[in-house]
Amino acid sequence: MTTTAPPPPLLAVNNLEVVYHHTIQVLKGLSLSVPEGRIVALLGANGAGKTTTLKAISNLLRAERGDVTKGQIEFRGQRIDQLNPAELVKRGICQVRFNAGGELRVPWGYVGALQCDPTEKKPFFHVYPGSDTLTFG
């Protein structure tokens, strides 16, 4: 009997730590995995680090004086935590937020979206037809 190893996850976050303003630790030891073809929701209370996690994945922390101080982020088996946001977009990773008057809307052309936070009404995962794009916000 032959066993095959499971495919690597589409997105892997390993032992992530994030600090704001060189002093405020927001995330410590966060790990998560998004398998190919699956949807994963990131849930938590206000202030638990959901938005910080998404900003770390899309490398948007520096705009708010935040830094990933430990851990790594991989997309399709390649490290992406050192890439700038423009390079991430070229690889198909970006944040999407579309909230019209307090109502979650899916941008035109998207097939589906999953809302991860009913209070903030931010979509976490979108599927864009005919592409390998992973978007969240």
Side-chain angles (χ1 to χ4, degrees):
M1 184 167 132
T2 305
T3 60
T4 58
L10 179 66
L11 177 70
V13 177
N14 300 305
N15 200 29
L16 199 66
E17 292 189 6
V18 172
V19 173
Y20 283 104
H21 303 281
H22 303 288
T23 56
I24 304 167
Q25 187 173 38
V26 179
L27 297 177
K28 181 177 182 180
L30 173 80
S31 295
L32 65 89
S33 177
V34 179
E36 183 88 37
R38 301 288 178 101
I39 296 174
V40 174
L42 185 60
L43 304 173
N46 288 344
K50 301 177 300 293
T51 301
T52 297
T53 300
L54 300 179
K55 287 179 181 177
I57 292 168
S58 55
N59 205 353
L60 296 174
L61 289 170
R62 291 211 172 113
E64 297 178 11
R65 298 192 57 182
D67 288 300
V68 173
T69 56
K70 186 177 178 185
Q72 65 183 30
I73 303 166
E74 295 180 353
F75 180 66
R76 297 196 180 277
Q78 296 181 345
R79 283 192 69 171
I80 60 168
D81 46 284
Q82 300 299 317
L83 300 178
N84 67 47
E87 291 168 330
L88 291 174
V89 169
K90 289 177 185 175
R91 291 181 185 225
I93 301 170
C94 63
Q95 287 197 14
V96 174
R97 291 186 181 175
F98 186 34
N99 185 339
E103 182 178 321
L104 177 68
R105 303 261 180 160
V106 178
W108 183 85
Y110 280 80
V111 180
L114 175 68
Q115 180 177 329
C116 78
D117 189 325
T119 303
E120 297 180 37
K121 296 187 176 22
K122 294 179 185 174
F124 176 75
F125 184 87
H126 300 270
V127 179
Y128 190 71
S131 74
D132 291 332
T133 303
L134 173 69
T135 64
F136 47 86

